[in-house]
Amino acid sequence: MGTQIQDLRLSEDDFRSERFKNHPKDLKGNNDLLVLTQPKAIYNIHRNYLLAGADFVETNTFSGTAIAQADYAAEDIVYELNKVAAEIARDACSDMLQETPDRPRFVCGAIGPTNRTCSISPSVENPSFRNITFDELVAAYTEQVRGLLDGGSDVLLVETIFDTLNAKAALFAIDTLFEDGVYERVPVFVSGTIVDQSGRTLSGQTGEAFITSVAHAEPLAIGLNCALGANQMRPFIQSISSFTASKVICYPNAGLPNTFGEYDESPEAMAANVSVFAREGLVNIMGGCCGTTPAHIRAIYEACKDFKPRVPGPDVRKEKLVLSGLEPLIYGDSSNFLNIGERCNVAGSRKFARHIINNEYEEALAIARAQVENGGQVIDINVDDGMLDGEAAMAKFLNLISTEPDVAKVPIMVDSSNFAVIEAGLKCAQGKCIVNSISLKEGVDDFLKKAALVKRYGAAVVVMAFDEEGQAVEREHKFRVCERSYRLLVDRVGFNPNDIIFDPNILTICTGMEEHNNYGVEFIDATRDIKARLPGAKVSGGVSNLSFSFRGKENVRQAMHSVFLYHAIKAGMDMGIVNPGFLTIYDEIPKDLLQICEDALWNRDPEATEKLLEYAQTHGKDAVQKGEAEAWRALPVTERLKHALVKGITKHVVEDTEEARLDKERYPRPLN
């Protein structure tokens, strides 16, 4: 569309027409406006592509949100603009259908990415700052989608996605309109943009992570467009084709732009390049983006029309839990235990809490980085504290995490007892998160409402074994609550069973109260029940709760956790919130301590608590290396600077740079 509009060589007066003759801002370049000022020209462009063999035409609404139209002071016409654009495309398709009644043509309501990004700060000095919010994007996309649907769009196409969080806002708006019953559902296509040969979006996600983040919308087709030519796009389309059970859509540019920003690839050359995709069975829908004319579409149609469309493969999400940060994480029955880093929790780490309360977010980020470096495959974030604005703190910390690739590569567990804080976190994470948690504590209606929202945000969910009666303690009550929750999630909300994670409550043992001594056994037995009788569901828990009565006695706590996990994992426990740098190998636990821990876990010795206390007093504190330890500070200054650059650590950069500057022998001048 854009290429054809440029060829019209329209003037400012052409863009304004009579209606916008006195508009206060220049309008030339606002191509979307032409559906109101030059509707015949837009109709003819659609018709020319249809005559060339196109099955779908996009509405001329790539910048059809109030956010993008604000550049032209045209926010107040957004609904009309989208409705009229869809009507023009609808007219072109209807007229074409009369000429070729055996071949239906379809209108794709084009939804562009806007000119703002929700995952990237526009300010180098303030990496947690954003110039647009998720809620603002949802509102803008809602208005656009209403216009596109009222105008007769057959399909909604969320396209040219460079920031997955923007796309999630568009999909959130679309699903809300459908679920509210305002509109009948239509198919949704989703198309991302890989910015270079790294195979990542501008906001840093791999193609597989991008698919994982938007798969909850159940798009009829998903794929790539723009940015690259067909030759450059091929390996990335192969990856997407092998990772999704949806149809695959691909519409690359006509090669790469020349020095003048123009596209030189001929129709014949482009058709030859894209036909490889069709011949190899990688795609279902083929087209063109920047630089593609009706001649290109005609050549592509002729080159691809005789090939069979791609046959989608199995859906990995039906068998496994699939999460994403900047990279995907796939967890299945054959996977190892999943470590969820626990130290970014104000209730579990006094150091983290101090940094967050004192607004020392860079220092808090270093704790998250250490968790990943020490083996955390998911990072749990909790900022529930009476001295904090939880929503603001969660948003700021997650915005900061998105600037740190070493941390952002792993999925996030958004953890709070306040659902508003959970939502604040989900609105800042482009990947597929885990919500921790929801429960039946407030009743079925509250549970279903929160579960539906979690699904709309595209997250997996932890369900606590709570119900209206309170916290489940015994095995039977734990399973009864989990089974009831499972049926509500699967049957009423439509949740993927593999995205359901139960926490049957790891409760503290060895408290001095006899009724607490069997809590470990109850958890392990309930875990066996869940894995045997609730297909697809996963089991997790906060491991440190088990040994809470031994705070400060770290050697005993480490051993208790390792013994517990050794048996719980055998019973089917899939993941746990742990400090990954704070675990002892089961076989390396001293035999006398191992025996006491075993007896305590299985409630075999009424004296186990006293024996553990005696052991702790006798053996003292372990010299455990904490995860946050900065061992790299002992390296030579050149290695310290290299480490800081690679890891993005700014804490010591001034002192290290000064130390290097003073070494006149190695560095006689600043830039050596």
Side-chain angles (χ1 to χ4, degrees), residues 191-409:
S191 182
T193 291
I194 300 298
V195 294
D196 56 34
Q197 292 303 117
S198 70
R200 293 178 181 259
T201 62
L202 182 66
S203 55
Q205 282 196 311
T206 65
E208 294 87 348
F210 160 67
I211 290 172
T212 301
S213 300
V214 299
H216 63 281
E218 302 292 346
L220 179 63
I222 191 167
L224 298 174
N225 75 288
C226 203
L228 305 174
N231 284 337
Q232 296 79 24
M233 196 179 283
R234 182 179 176 185
F236 311 125
I237 254 328
Q238 285 177 319
S239 296
I240 284 177
S241 182
S242 64
F243 197 75
T244 181
S246 297
K247 305 289 192 293
V248 171
I249 182 172
C250 180
Y251 49 117
N253 293 340
L256 297 174
N258 60 29
T259 54
F260 302 103
E262 298 171 343
Y263 296 86
D264 300 325
E265 191 167 69
S266 69
E268 295 74 22
M270 184 178 184
N273 289 332
V274 301
S275 66
V276 175
F277 298 179
R279 184 168 61 251
E280 294 182 355
L282 301 177
V283 295
N284 301 91
I285 304 169
M286 195 78 240
C289 198
C290 300
T292 52
T293 66
H296 287 84
I297 296 302
R298 182 177 293 106
I300 292 171
Y301 171 73
E302 292 296 334
C304 299
K305 65 180 182 181
D306 294 328
F307 293 116
K308 292 183 178 180
R310 165 183 169 272
V311 178
D315 188 351
V316 65
R317 297 183 306 134
K318 293 188 182 301
E319 302 295 332
K320 299 178 180 181
L321 168 65
V322 187
L323 306 169
S324 65
L326 296 183
E327 299 170 7
L329 188 156
I330 303 173
Y331 180 88
D333 291 339
S334 61
S335 301
N336 291 329
F337 183 78
L338 199 62
N339 291 305
I340 303 172
E342 71 172 0
R343 304 308 292 168
C344 293
N345 184 325
V346 296
S349 169
R350 283 176 289 184
K351 183 177 181 180
F352 181 77
R354 184 173 66 252
H355 288 320
I356 295 294
I357 291 170
N358 293 335
N359 203 34
E360 297 168 347
Y361 280 82
E362 287 287 347
E363 289 79 2
L365 183 60
I367 295 175
R369 187 185 302 111
Q371 291 283 277
V372 177
E373 290 174 352
N374 287 324
Q377 295 143 291
V378 177
I379 297 296
D380 179 80
I381 312 294
N382 183 298
V383 291
D384 287 356
D385 187 278
M387 297 179 66
L388 289 170
D389 177 343
E391 295 177 51
M394 180 66 78
K396 183 172 182 177
F397 192 58
L398 288 187
N399 282 343
L400 195 61
I401 280 178
S402 71
T403 69
E404 179 54 65
D406 282 348
V407 181
K409 67 182 181 181

Side-chain angles (χ1 to χ4, degrees), residues 79 82-83 141-153 156 173-186:
Y79 172 79
N82 283 276
K83 183 173 183 292
Y141 282 128
T142 298
E143 183 180 27
Q144 180 177 29
V145 171
R146 284 179 54 246
L148 292 171
L149 292 173
D150 287 343
S153 294
L156 293 174
I174 291 168
D175 188 65
T176 301
L177 286 172
F178 290 156
E179 279 295 317
D180 288 350
V182 179
Y183 295 95
E184 189 173 328
R185 285 190 179 270
V186 301

